Amino acid sequence: MRRVLVAVAMVVAVLAVAAVVHASVTKDFTFKSTGKATQPGAVAGVGAAGTYEDIPFTIASGDADGTVSVTLTWTNQVDDWDLYVYRKDASGNLVPVGSSAGGPPSTSENAVIQAQDGPVPPGNYVIRAQNYAATSSAFTGSVKFTAYVPPNQPPSASLKAPSSARAGQTITLDASGSRDPDGRIVDYSWDLNGDGAMDASSGTTPTLQHAFSKGTQYLTVRVTDDRGARAYANATVNVR
């Protein structure tokens, strides 16, 4: 029963990862000023009415975004705009999630929301273009989204070998019990003398045949998955 439960758990994990991988990504879009932010916030007060313009956007519940990159641009090198990005909470309050506030002579600001423990949370967002010290209310902007890539889950390694063998006898080292929960194992490498260095690779074949000289042989298999993560398993063979 335990083996069945473990197998079911692995299938569920793989399906969950697959669902995220194939989820939608929010569509890129552009925006521009409507001329509302005419008053410099450095004079009237940052956040005062007439000193900023808000551009709302939504990340749908079915989207799986890895990053949200917001860029604000203007033309006059003397002007100074600041960029803020907020997410609305359940009460409609604006929660800061990104900002960029440089100064002249730059004519752009860029703020990036980065996925943390999962895709960027869905919900309603607000881009705020803050006129800090600009003589013109004109600006343009863009928002680009990238797909969320789940963190790699490392493989697990398993190694089976006869507990004893005769000197010169060819035996089979078997790592076929190794698993990768969210991909595949692309390499099996083998330390055949216990010195910590890999002596052979069998590529994607999980077994290796080898004959040993007399003595206690300490063996290790190293498995590598398709995203570079590794795991190790050990075995000991007494060769007489």
Side-chain angles (χ1 to χ4, degrees):
M1 178 63 71
R2 182 177 300 177
R3 291 183 180 177
V4 173
L5 291 176
V6 170
V8 170
M10 290 181 64
V11 170
V12 170
V14 170
L15 291 176
V17 170
V20 171
V21 169
H22 295 290
S24 299
V25 177
T26 306
K27 187 177 180 180
D28 298 345
F29 67 92
T30 59
F31 59 90
K32 64 180 181 179
S33 165
T34 61
K36 294 180 180 178
T38 58
Q39 301 297 316
V43 177
V46 172
T51 69
Y52 65 87
E53 184 170 342
D54 285 349
I55 300 94
F57 71 95
T58 299
I59 296 178
S61 59
D63 291 350
D65 301 318
T67 61
V68 182
S69 180
V70 183
T71 301
L72 181 72
T73 59
W74 57 96
T75 57
N76 191 341
Q77 291 184 337
V78 178
D79 286 348
D80 189 0
W81 288 85
D82 294 335
L83 172 63
Y84 301 93
V85 185
Y86 303 94
R87 182 174 184 267
K88 287 187 176 182
D89 64 16
S91 300
N93 300 311
L94 298 180
V95 179
V97 293
S99 65
S100 179
S106 174
T107 58
S108 67
E109 300 286 356
N110 181 254
V112 178
I113 307 171
Q114 184 73 48
Q116 300 298 322
D117 298 325
V120 175
N124 296 317
Y125 289 78
V126 172
I127 300 164
R128 176 164 293 181
Q130 173 69 60
N131 179 345
Y132 182 73
T135 57
S136 169
S137 61
F139 61 79
T140 59
S142 65
V143 185
K144 297 182 180 298
F145 302 84
T146 64
Y148 174 71
V149 179
N152 185 34
Q153 297 185 50
S156 60
S158 171
L159 177 56
K160 292 182 179 180
S163 59
S164 62
R166 296 188 305 275
Q169 175 190 356
T170 298
I171 62 173
T172 298
L173 311 179
D174 185 0
S176 60
S178 303
R179 297 287 184 268
D180 185 43
D182 60 351
R184 59 192 180 91
I185 295 173
V186 297
D187 182 72
Y188 294 84
S189 292
W190 310 84
D191 174 7
L192 301 173
N193 56 17
D195 66 354
M198 296 297 124
D199 303 301
S201 170
S202 57
T204 57
T205 301
T207 58
L208 182 73
Q209 291 188 327
H210 192 75
F212 294 91
S213 57
K214 186 176 181 180
T216 302
Q217 305 296 335
Y218 299 97
L219 315 175
T220 299
V221 65
R222 181 187 71 197
V223 300
T224 306
D225 73 8
D226 52 357
R227 291 174 65 182
R230 293 173 171 176
Y232 299 81
N234 304 306
T236 302
V237 179
N238 294 312
V239 182
R240 58 187 186 278

